[in-house]
Amino acid sequence: KVVYSDLLGFMSRLDTTKDEDHQQFWMTCQMAALQLVDAVKDAKALQKNLGRYLRDERSLAHEHYMELRRHLLWVLRQVREVGGLEVPDDVWRNRLDWVDSEAAKFDSGFRHRIFSDVRKGQLNNLQASSLMHDLGYSVRITQSFRNVLQLGLADGDELLREVRRLGSDDDDSPLIRA
């Protein structure tokens, strides 16, 4: 919230009489910042149960939370990779669609495994409820990052392409470090 607040304060002091491209760029930056704040909030909420269930290695819920954590790490790696791609927009969109498809497959399979384990009596209702709730956080985190990646793409905004390139490994000071 503090970073987002500072960003909004900075942007409110900018000269808004700039050309339309710059106005659109700053509006998109605000939207991206809000999406990232939402992702951080969801990650903070998810962290509580992750920490609790990952400490109990004897529980089957532990295995499900390990799976959820691996999935989120995969999403973060994909976001970083897709964000740094220097390819035509249609190829970039196809890659983002593939990430969406893989995330949807994970979501469906994860839900199926949880319900199956409840039917077998291997997970109790409280564990299943926590897992389903936290899967929702995972889905929202994924969607927030996807939204950030997609901002400005429809308009072919060159300024936003430059921001997207800040995360690439070729940059001397990447925005996102491995």
Side-chain angles (χ1 to χ4, degrees), residues 11-126:
M11 287 192 274
S12 69
R13 291 187 301 277
L14 291 173
D15 180 10
T16 58
T17 60
K18 300 269 186 220
D19 62 65
E20 192 173 318
D21 288 342
H22 280 90
Q23 288 178 6
Q24 180 62 41
F25 172 76
W26 286 113
M27 179 61 76
T28 302
C29 286
Q30 286 176 335
M31 292 176 2
L34 184 57
Q35 287 292 315
L36 293 173
V37 167
D38 287 344
V40 169
K41 283 184 196 177
D42 288 336
K44 181 179 179 187
L46 175 60
Q47 185 63 32
K48 181 180 174 186
N49 278 342
L50 268 174
R52 182 173 144 215
Y53 283 107
L54 288 178
R55 283 191 293 272
D56 184 8
E57 295 182 20
R58 297 169 302 179
S59 165
L60 182 59
H62 170 87
E63 293 305 316
H64 286 291
Y65 274 99
M66 288 293 291
E67 184 181 4
L68 188 59
R69 184 170 72 173
R70 280 189 296 271
H71 172 69
L72 279 171
L73 290 171
W74 178 84
V75 166
L76 291 173
R77 283 191 300 272
Q78 294 303 312
V79 165
R80 184 172 192 275
E81 187 175 317
V82 170
L85 289 176
E86 295 283 339
V87 294
D89 286 352
D90 61 330
V91 174
W92 193 84
R93 278 190 190 96
N94 286 339
R95 177 64 186 273
L96 194 54
D97 288 345
W98 175 80
V99 170
D100 288 345
S101 172
E102 292 300 305
K105 285 179 197 172
F106 173 83
D107 180 277
S108 175
F110 192 79
R111 288 175 192 277
H112 176 76
R113 288 185 293 282
I114 290 169
F115 289 129
S116 176
D117 288 342
V118 169
R119 280 191 301 277
K120 294 176 195 172
Q122 295 174 326
L123 282 176
N124 65 40
N125 292 342
L126 182 59

Side-chain angles (χ1 to χ4, degrees), residues 3 40 116 121 127 146 151:
V3 171
V40 169
S116 176
Q127 292 168 324
R146 185 197 195 290
L151 283 171

Side-chain angles (χ1 to χ4, degrees), residues 115-162:
F115 289 129
S116 176
D117 288 342
V118 169
R119 280 191 301 277
K120 294 176 195 172
Q122 295 174 326
L123 282 176
N124 65 40
N125 292 342
L126 182 59
Q127 292 168 324
S129 174
S130 291
L131 283 160
M132 294 301 288
H133 190 73
D134 291 336
L135 176 62
Y137 284 128
S138 171
V139 168
R140 285 192 298 278
I141 291 166
T142 300
Q143 188 62 43
S144 291
F145 281 120
R146 185 197 195 290
N147 291 345
V148 169
L149 284 174
Q150 209 167 10
L151 283 171
L153 185 63
D155 299 328
D157 191 323
E158 286 304 315
L159 289 172
L160 288 168
R161 290 185 203 292
E162 287 302 315

